[in-house]
Amino acid sequence: MQRLFITTFLLFQLVVGTRAKTKFGFCPPQLTPDEVYRRFGKSQKFYIDYNNGNDSWNGNLPDPDEFGNGPFKTFAGAITGMRQTKKCVYAASGVVLYVRGGTHFVDKTVVIDERDNSLSIVAYPGDERPLISGAHRIPGSEFSKLDDKIYFAPYEGHCTKNVFLGRKRLLRARKPSVEEWTGENFTGEGPYLKIDNLLVNTEECNYDGTGGFKQACPPENGDGFVYADNDINPNWSNLQKADILVFQAWIAERGDIGEIDTKNKTVYFQERLRTPIGTHPEPSGWRYIVENVYEELDSVGEYYCDEGKGMFYFIPPEGALDTEDVYIATTEVVFEAMYGEDIGFYNLEFRHGHDGNFEGYMEDPGLLQFVSSSKLTIERCCFSNLGHTAIYVHACTDVNITESIFTDIGYFAIGAKFDDDFDNPMANKNINIHRNTFQRCGVVNMFQPACIIAQGIENIKVTNNDIGFSPYAGIRIGWQATFHWSYVETDKYVFYVERNHVHDFGLGLLNDFAGIYLSSNPECSEATLSLATCYLHAYVSRNVIHKTIPYNYGGKGVYGDTAASGLVVTENWLYDLSEAAVNFHCGRYNYALNNMIHQVADGRVFGVCNSIVGGNENEPLYQIMIFKENVIYVSNVDARLWRKSDLWDFFVPNLDHNDYFFNPANDTQKKDFFPAREQGKGVSFKQWQNETGRDLHSIIKNPLYVDMENEDFRLDCQSPALDLGIKSIDNRHVRRLSGIFGV
């Protein structure tokens, strides 16, 4: 299955990349010289050229002259030089720094602040697109042959998880090796080793998994595990530099090897994992991978970096070193804007970001990092080969990230962070993430990764993006302190998620995810906060969401989790999903309206509250949710509207004016497709109507999708659904126009 996704992505590149291929890869079309002149022609001009510049020059010329004037060499030198000039010359129309073609290596963060306001950093018109790299480069010519497969070269820097041969990501020497190295592999893809037993077995937590989906495991099980014969070798060199990627349910976390007890075949970590092993028996699959072991350097595309010896080893494809160099990502943040205003980046390529060896939940570091700044623009740029986050935005207003490409991203492509301080005047507002293309996010960090995580307090928009090939979610919204129900005016929202094409996510690696995943915070799910303050106020409309594959469970279309309230999910196309089309995990005043659904998986169509989300005697959780005017075309005889563990027996959701249809028809399914008042049982359509008063105006008739086989979910003009007030939704343009390559 993993090869299928990789092949699909390569086809994507062949189709769209031919229109935008540069020397350094696939990037969006640049602004034309005329467009650049119209925007920046009146600005004060400076130039930077890494290959031909000099930081002692004034930066006023694109090329050196005979008088010792010419472009700056480095960004740090350019910022210093421009600040000196601005003390003497006032630029009413701002400052533009033109970046000449070639590779610009940045080994330390370039800090931009209020002294640099009204600064635009733009590719020099007519040049090839400049590449800004946070890597140490080892030329291919510097490698020597160690044996029939392994090559080596001196390297005195820090070792990282993010190393590249040209544009292709290398993998740390691992056990077991991937079946085929493509340069586009996720570090968490199989095959896997299997944990042989737990450190501590109890009645509530044991290797047999008698606790079911989730077990109450003691913290000690996060200290290590029992391995099978020969899976871990105590004689590996630099053993404490090796780590183990352990899969849980919705995360996989790394633990550095501490000690090995060969007698009991037990491995111990240097630090306890955050989740005890065994907590999720089936979703984890007891999977793990050993990484960064020299003795396991045995396959093409693997590397091992030895800081002690100052050497870098790897196995290249035959002949690759004749044309390609190796790039070791060493810089975490290339540009950081703090307290800046009116800062922009245009037509640039960014690659090779280091993750700072961080492992866990945190949006930063970002290769571009913006803190307490305003009027920020990133346009027509491309980001790839990164270890963590491409763009990090914290406490910023008026941010536009548009028409850019993100691929091979370690964690998030875009992380907009709100730190739950509503009194901060710079809390995220007016964030616009529009018409970008995202492919392969969450390549390294597997703590619920996504291409976009958007947080804020006002006018946060994620629109017209193409998002694919993530091991978890496509878009995450919220996951923050929430709002009172009265926070916004009627028909106004904090978050707008519209016209995005979200596809090919999960990839068979993690569980419990969604194409668009909205969440509040743990206090809401535990009912330690009043549910009146658990509103996200999110509008999710006109998105096309499809193609999900979990490892064990999950893969929803739109998911409102942890009692998130005030969600409107409307006019979306939701199909080819492995789980519910829409799931409101408790919460108040959540609406699913006029969605076109094709249910191909077994399991539930709609998800509601269940016992996993808590509640207490002072604030019992309950659900107020409305599912109306939806089309539900069911093509799996094992699908049901409900799931056994969901709570349809209290505060029954309001369903009506829906069009259900079953193809193939199945008598058993018709008898229990709808939930009974007794939890865990189903009833027929008539019983459902009579017992609950729900779906009284709904029908079971073929809705007549125009061309379902070719993913056209418009309604035919003869559709009986139209008589219910259901509108035909034409979202073909979402697939066609989303992302930078929309045509």
Side-chain angles (χ1 to χ4, degrees), residues 36 53 57 156 226 299 326 340 406 415 473 495 509 516 539 548 570 643 692:
V36 171
W57 295 340
E156 298 296 336
V226 178
S299 299
V326 169
F406 303 80
F495 299 97
L509 300 181
I516 299 175
Y539 185 74
T548 66
T570 182
R643 187 179 69 177
T692 66

Side-chain angles (χ1 to χ4, degrees), residues 49 71 171 216 304 308 359 397 553 646:
D49 187 335
L171 300 173
Y304 182 80
E359 182 78 10
T397 63
Y553 78 98
D646 285 356

